[in-house]
Amino acid sequence: MENMATTFDLLVVGDANPDVVLSGVPRELRVGQREQLVAAGAIALGGSAAITACGASRLGLRTAFVGRVGDDALGRFALDALAERGVDVSGCVTDFEVATALTVILAGGDDRAILTAPGCLPRLVVEDVDPRLVRAARHVHVSSYFLQPRLAAGLPAWFAAIRSRGASTSLDTNDDPSGRWDDGVAAAIEQTDVLLPNEAEALALAGRTDGDVIAACRQLAMTAGLPVVKRGARGALAWWDGEPVIVPALAVEPMDTVGAGDSFNAGFLAAWLGGRGLSASLRLAVACGSLSTRAVGGTAAQPTLEQALAAIKTPEPDAAAGVTRVGPR
Ligand SMILES: Nc1ncnc2c1ncn2[C@@H]1O[C@H](COP(=O)(O)OP(=O)(O)OP(=O)(O)O)[C@@H](O)[C@H]1O
Ligand SMILES: [Mg+2]
């Protein structure tokens, strides 16, 4: 961090941890110390913020990441994986008291169970982020609000300060494991330029139980600058200037959708910060989300800008890709 003259397009703050992914897991897990064999196992970089940072770097944004990891092999794995993908991790904090978080994903059929040991994640605070790094960034993105309550508590004032000097902010709350969706999040959303929930999260944040995602998006637009809602295989939806803007997903045969939302975030921010219009930014984001599902883990199939643009422009199956069919629905 010596060279503070460096400017970053994007500073991502939040969670980084290894994901242990087991595939082909039977729906019924046996207890009683019985061993069950599954089809495959892999370890990959996880954490919504970390996956977003890698996606943005792959798309060409100068990206820095700040998070907390333990003084252990899991933490080194996460930081090395980020650095290998061109993300600046010089501002990360090592927690000498609590271990790195670890997620185990049990994937079977088209569903998955996600088990997370939060480790030092809840100990991240805004004061962990070097103010010089914040000043060096055009845009600050925060992921996983509900996993990091101390960071969450400081977010409204911190985002307000960032905006007051002309930089912009975005937030992907992700799920609230407690299911409470506490009221404090509204204050953070008021200081958020781009809010990036998925459908279930948008409904919960808007306090709606009727499943009307378009209404939830409209409602969130009253406080967030721009709500952008991720809709899995249905693509994405935003609310701008009194109107919904709807974009379909690409037709892919997903191998693993872990991190699709985070890759979508990276795509949206790269396009939006690059000066593209809303509908072009949504299309690029959807391409980044959809393309990322072609491989196991959050970062392995994240596209370059060229690849994402090519996917939008190529309506027919791309033989050269060899992995999957890509094209608009
Ligand atoms: N089955 C799918 N087919 C095609 N595209 C998909 C599929 N699932 C996800 N995507 C792409 O990824 C984007 C984000 O997906 P999703 O709605 O699952 O986000 P999310 O729930 O936030 O994901 P995450 O698990 O990363 O938090 C979608 O807008 C779409 O572009
Ligand atoms: Mg998500």
Side-chain angles (χ1 to χ4, degrees):
M1 216 183 301
E2 304 79 47
N3 181 15
M4 265 303 145
T6 310
T7 51
F8 292 103
D9 300 305
L10 175 63
L11 167 63
V12 182
V13 176
D15 47 338
N17 57 263
D19 276 352
V20 175
V21 188
L22 296 181
S23 327
V25 176
R27 202 159 271 249
E28 295 286 308
L29 281 186
R30 273 189 237 142
V31 290
Q33 300 180 39
R34 299 299 313 283
E35 182 146 358
Q36 281 173 280
L37 300 182
V38 300
I43 184 161
L45 176 67
S48 172
I51 295 171
T52 298
C54 289
S57 176
R58 181 109 173 114
L59 289 164
L61 293 190
R62 293 163 301 170
T63 306
F65 170 83
V66 175
R68 250 178 202 255
V69 293
D71 182 24
D72 49 35
L74 299 181
R76 286 187 286 281
F77 173 86
L79 296 189
D80 286 351
L82 281 153
E84 267 166 30
R85 289 166 177 80
V87 177
D88 184 303
V89 291
S90 62
C92 284
V93 175
T94 302
D95 191 316
F96 290 96
E97 286 162 30
V98 180
T100 303
L102 182 63
T103 292
V104 176
I105 297 165
L106 306 177
D110 56 3
D111 205 0
R112 57 194 145 127
I114 305 173
L115 307 169
T116 293
C120 61
L121 285 186
R123 288 157 60 92
L124 186 68
V125 288
V126 292
E127 291 77 18
D128 283 338
V129 190
D130 188 326
R132 291 172 300 172
L133 199 47
V134 183
R135 280 196 296 274
R138 282 175 60 205
H139 182 91
V140 178
H141 175 79
V142 169
S143 271
S144 302
Y145 178 94
F146 296 101
L147 295 181
Q148 303 166 113
R150 294 193 202 171
L151 178 74
L155 214 52
W158 191 59
F159 266 11
I162 289 165
R163 296 170 99 197
S164 71
R165 60 157 188 79
S168 48
T169 60
S170 53
L171 175 64
D172 183 347
T173 64
N174 280 305
D175 192 20
D176 179 359
S178 81
R180 284 195 298 270
W181 302 90
D182 77 81
D183 299 343
V185 71
I189 290 175
E190 277 176 25
Q191 299 300 333
T192 297
D193 292 302
V194 184
L195 181 67
L196 292 152
N198 67 17
E199 284 185 305
E201 293 151 6
L203 289 165
L205 290 169
R208 296 191 79 94
T209 52
D210 61 0
D212 189 340
V213 178
I214 294 182
C217 196
R218 184 186 61 220
Q219 212 173 309
L220 292 171
M222 291 174 194
T223 44
L226 170 63
V228 175
V229 180
K230 292 165 275 188
R231 312 176 78 192
R234 283 198 294 276
L237 156 74
W239 191 274
W240 185 250
D241 217 8
E243 302 278 345
V245 183
I246 297 171
V247 168
L250 301 187
V252 295
E253 283 160 17
M255 182 181 272
D256 172 25
T257 59
V258 169
D262 312 317
S263 300
F264 176 104
N265 296 345
F268 189 83
L269 294 176
W272 193 242
L273 295 172
R276 290 172 204 268
L278 178 57
S279 136
S281 296
L282 284 175
R283 280 202 304 278
L284 193 83
V286 154
C288 291
S290 297
L291 291 173
S292 81
T293 66
R294 297 170 303 165
V296 170
T299 63
Q302 286 177 325
T304 61
L305 185 59
E306 204 180 14
Q307 289 165 343
L309 289 171
I312 302 169
K313 286 190 189 120
T314 309
E316 291 307 317
D318 181 357
V323 187
T324 185
R325 292 182 298 114
V326 176
R329 263 172 207 278

